[in-house]
Amino acid sequence: MGGTRREGGRPLTPDRPPATDQALFRARAHVRDAESILVLTGAGVSADSGVPTFRGPGGLWKQRRPEELATPEAFSRDPRLVWEWYAWRQERIRACVPNAAHLALARLAWGHGRARIVTQNIDGLHADAAATLPVSGARGNAMPLELHGSIFRVRCTSCASRTARREPIDATSVESLPTCPSCGELLRPDVVWFGEPLEPAALTEAFELAAAADVCLVVGTSAVVHPAARLATTTRAAGGHVIEVNREETPITSIASISLRGSAVEVVPGVVSERRTANSE
Ligand code: OAD
């Protein structure tokens, strides 16, 4: 093996065994023919943009325990420490841009009336990808359903008002932490922490999409955090196909019709880009 194989003058992906090329072809056909598509993404889709994942080598949860930083108890105990961690993550994410997988998925959702992106990511990169699309009524379709919130939004710990906030947070002392302009209480990141419920409306919509989908395309999630991980199972139980894109095997692999091993940027554009869409030129 090795080198780039060619077939009829068309270059194939280097070092990819024929079974994988067949799987890619079948995945593309499922996506092309689907009436309704749910795309579920996790940290792996943003890894190629430079956003750290949670698990695996170099993952955020290798360095810190979730209970120290991503729970309401941790925030009550030491809001400065929790804000410092989110401010650091914000700074890293601010330097990142959407990659070829985000862009291909945004284009799919934009062009296909019944495709939606549901993400566990709080980095805003799917929304940034949607913002690169031509302005039209359909651009809203490419906006993701953000199940775990957004690192670029804040929420009041008292009156629960929410606002977008991209400016850096000063977490050098408790006094410098951001406070609510309406009631003066401490603001917190508008993200879902462990032990907290997901936004009921977003959750209901996500499960309705999953139940109605002919294809659930799962990209870059370890599928160990619920309820998000159950979306793929819901599509499968309703008779749809699950297509997984991941560098590794996950709990989703056993229910997937097709598993594509590789990075999101290498694989996703090839799975979704050939779909003919209402908005395609
Ligand atoms: P994880 O860090 O658990 O998993 C990332 C997944 O992406 C793994 O399965 C990797 O194999 C895969 N991966 C890594 N690089 C990839 C690449 N370039 N292309 C494709 N796949 C790649 O992240 P999530 O599954 O998103 O929740 O984690 C789920 C939730 O756990 C997060 O939303 C967060 C976390 O704790 C909260 O904070 C509530």
Side-chain angles (χ1 to χ4, degrees):
M1 277 254 293
T4 303
R5 289 177 295 116
R6 287 179 174 268
E7 192 178 75
R10 187 174 63 87
L12 293 175
T13 310
D15 298 330
R16 182 180 280 151
T20 308
D21 284 328
Q22 279 172 21
L24 183 60
F25 184 80
R26 284 196 299 125
R28 191 183 294 156
H30 282 313
V31 169
R32 187 192 56 225
D33 297 340
E35 285 295 314
S36 174
I37 302 169
L38 168 66
V39 180
L40 171 66
T41 67
V45 76
S46 297
D48 294 313
S49 293
V51 181
T53 60
F54 293 92
R55 299 168 184 85
L60 293 170
W61 297 149
K62 292 276 168 201
Q63 296 146 32
R64 305 300 287 260
R65 290 185 308 139
E67 320 72 271
E68 279 179 74
L69 297 162
T71 60
E73 294 76 23
F75 191 75
S76 306
R77 199 167 51 236
D78 194 346
R80 197 207 60 78
L81 176 70
V82 174
W83 259 124
E84 185 177 60
W85 190 64
Y86 278 93
W88 169 78
R89 287 176 65 196
Q90 271 191 351
E91 208 174 298
R92 279 201 68 156
I93 292 168
R94 220 177 272 117
C96 297
V97 293
N99 62 45
H102 294 111
L103 295 170
L105 292 171
R107 207 170 169 83
L108 171 78
W110 169 70
H112 185 307
R114 296 179 62 208
R116 281 301 302 275
I117 301 166
V118 175
T119 189
Q120 298 166 85
N121 299 343
I122 61 172
D123 57 31
L125 291 178
H126 283 299
D128 291 348
T132 67
L133 294 169
V135 179
S136 80
R139 184 150 98 177
N141 262 12
M143 288 303 283
L145 200 55
E146 293 172 323
L147 285 182
H148 292 170
S150 167
I151 199 164
F152 294 116
R153 267 199 325 262
V154 287
R155 180 164 100 224
C156 178
T157 51
S158 177
C159 71
S161 68
R162 293 184 150 99
T163 39
R165 181 179 170 128
R166 286 195 84 88
E167 311 88 75
I169 302 286
D170 179 358
T172 48
S173 69
V174 177
E175 290 70 37
S176 70
L177 296 179
T179 51
C180 179
S182 313
C183 72
E185 291 300 321
L186 199 55
L187 293 173
R188 56 165 277 180
D190 190 17
V191 298
V192 177
W193 283 326
F194 286 94
E196 293 186 320
L198 273 64
E199 198 63 50
L203 198 57
T204 303
E205 190 178 351
F207 275 92
E208 281 172 4
L209 290 165
D214 302 315
V215 168
C216 179
L217 176 61
V218 185
V219 183
T221 177
S222 59
V224 294
V225 173
H226 292 267
R230 278 199 292 280
L231 290 168
T233 327
T234 301
T235 299
R236 184 70 180 154
H241 288 286
V242 174
I243 301 172
E244 180 182 52
V245 178
N246 200 304
R247 284 183 181 283
E248 298 169 358
E249 235 180 84
T250 75
I252 298 279
T253 308
S254 61
I255 59 151
S257 312
I258 304 168
S259 282
L260 298 162
R261 293 279 157 266
S263 75
V265 289
E266 283 166 4
V267 180
V268 169
V271 175
V272 304
S273 58
E274 282 192 11
R275 190 180 163 101
R276 254 189 235 101
T277 68
N279 284 313
S280 56
E281 301 77 61

